Amino acid sequence: MDLQASIDKNNIPKHVAIIMDGNGRWAKQQGEDRIFGHHEGVNSVREIVEACGEIGVKYLTLYAFSTENWNRPKEEVDGLMELLVATISMETPNLHKKGVRLQVIGDILSLPASCQTELQESIDLTAGNSKVTLILALSYSSKWEITEAVKKIAKQVEAGELKSENIRDDLIQNNLSTHAYPNPELMIRTSGEHRISNFLLWQLAYAEFYFTDVFWPDFRKNEFYKAILSYQNRERRFGKTSEQISNN
Ligand code: IPE
Ligand code: IPE
Ligand code: MG
């Protein structure tokens, strides 16, 4: 059944964030190496970006490589970096054609030079697109990001440009790497893990969470639409009572 038709087009989250998890276990199930799972995961990325364009999700953040993922075996880390370069190079023309703008968050300077160059070329080429903004979280962790923001703010205080009593939550928000994007209304994690793994701790303060046992390489359009439909059945109260929300 095509679930897309059941989606209420007037209640689409502007920003969806996804922890793409389960590539390794998916590959193991097929009797393959972990890296095979990562390769297959690219097909899911392509489909989900396309699905966002179709239903009108304007921002999609994908957790592709965490700060902690540097601790994986060198062979896997190298494989992932190679896959990243090859994927960006291969997919950019298609992304551009579909009106996708590529952005990145994370400690980009820690990535191999070839990755940085490939990413920058794609970012520059797609800078003028506005259908979907695809934000890749690479060498990203939320604690790293918040620490960087605190350092920037502390420098402004040190320089006498900012008084500590003027530090408010919007100032912190504006110093995060996501300052140019709205906060995600929906966070999806695949593969049955129920944790946040250092992802967008600040930005997800009021997000709806959706967990599925499906491994990332099997997470295709219909699985994504299931998550959107689940989101559309939630009541977002932001501290208020249900009565207040329904009277509005
Ligand atoms: C997610 O899949 C992709 C990355 C973290 C790069 P995993 O590689 O974590 O797959 P599992 O969790 O081991 O199955
Ligand atoms: C989180 O997945 C990071 C990405 C999806 C890139 P992991 O599979 O690395 O998370 P943990 O360490 O098991 O929580
Ligand atoms: Mg994992």
Side-chain angles (χ1 to χ4, degrees):
M1 185 191 151
D2 178 15
L3 294 173
Q4 195 187 317
S6 322
I7 292 173
D8 173 3
K9 293 285 156 51
N10 296 315
N11 183 21
I12 301 288
K14 273 198 201 66
H15 187 170
V16 177
I18 307 183
I19 303 180
M20 310 183 286
D21 200 8
N23 293 351
R25 279 163 287 164
W26 182 89
K28 202 171 164 192
Q29 265 186 355
Q30 327 278 314
E32 299 280 353
D33 290 342
R34 294 179 56 82
I35 198 76
F36 181 73
H38 298 313
H39 278 264
E40 193 56 31
V42 174
N43 296 324
S44 296
V45 171
R46 194 183 304 112
E47 275 209 17
I48 302 314
V49 174
E50 222 178 81
C52 285
E54 284 171 21
I55 65 168
V57 171
K58 301 303 279 182
Y59 298 86
L60 173 68
T61 298
L62 298 178
Y63 204 5
F65 193 84
S66 72
T67 305
E68 288 76 17
N69 288 147
W70 289 113
N71 298 320
R72 290 192 177 192
K74 184 177 181 319
E75 188 186 77
E76 182 168 348
V77 171
D78 291 349
L80 279 166
M81 293 302 148
E82 273 168 38
L83 177 63
L84 177 64
V85 176
T87 303
I88 298 296
S89 154
M90 271 247 301
E91 299 291 329
T92 292
N94 191 35
L95 292 175
H96 191 40
K97 204 170 76 196
K98 296 228 156 93
V100 178
R101 172 173 73 132
L102 184 76
Q103 301 270 281
V104 287
I105 55 172
D107 187 7
I108 300 308
L109 295 176
S110 68
L111 298 173
S114 57
C115 288
Q116 294 186 41
T117 311
E118 206 59 58
L119 286 166
Q120 198 54 54
E121 279 177 16
S122 180
I123 291 167
D124 292 344
L125 178 75
T126 61
N129 296 337
S130 59
K131 191 163 171 74
V132 179
T133 297
L134 169 62
I135 304 147
L136 293 181
L138 289 167
S139 192
Y140 173 88
S141 80
S142 197
K143 286 189 177 179
W144 170 83
E145 178 187 42
I146 292 170
T147 306
E148 290 303 302
V150 169
K151 280 191 220 162
K152 277 190 257 170
I153 294 168
K155 280 202 180 109
Q156 292 176 47
V157 175
E158 265 173 9
E161 296 159 8
L162 177 69
K163 287 202 161 107
S164 61
E165 61 261 36
N166 290 332
I167 300 175
R168 284 185 278 270
D169 77 4
D170 56 338
L171 181 92
I172 297 173
Q173 171 91 22
N174 289 337
N175 279 281
L176 297 174
S177 55
T178 53
H179 62 87
Y181 323 125
N183 287 331
E185 296 97 328
L186 173 64
M187 194 288 288
I188 299 170
R189 185 169 190 153
T190 59
S191 88
E193 306 299 353
H194 296 179
R195 55 179 177 262
I196 199 161
S197 303
N198 218 344
F199 186 47
L200 303 176
L201 300 177
W202 175 282
Q203 297 87 339
L204 295 177
Y206 250 112
E208 296 296 327
F209 285 14
Y210 177 86
F211 296 102
T212 170
D213 288 340
V214 172
F215 292 140
W216 178 251
D218 287 331
F219 191 86
R220 298 299 169 93
K221 283 187 185 175
N222 255 349
E223 295 299 329
F224 183 67
Y225 298 148
K226 278 187 210 167
I228 300 289
L229 287 166
S230 166
Y231 167 83
Q232 294 189 331
N233 279 314
R234 318 263 179 109
E235 182 179 61
R236 306 190 73 210
R237 290 192 285 274
F238 301 99
K240 295 184 179 169
T241 66
S242 188
E243 289 69 27
Q244 285 175 297
I245 301 296
S246 43
N247 289 340
N248 227 314

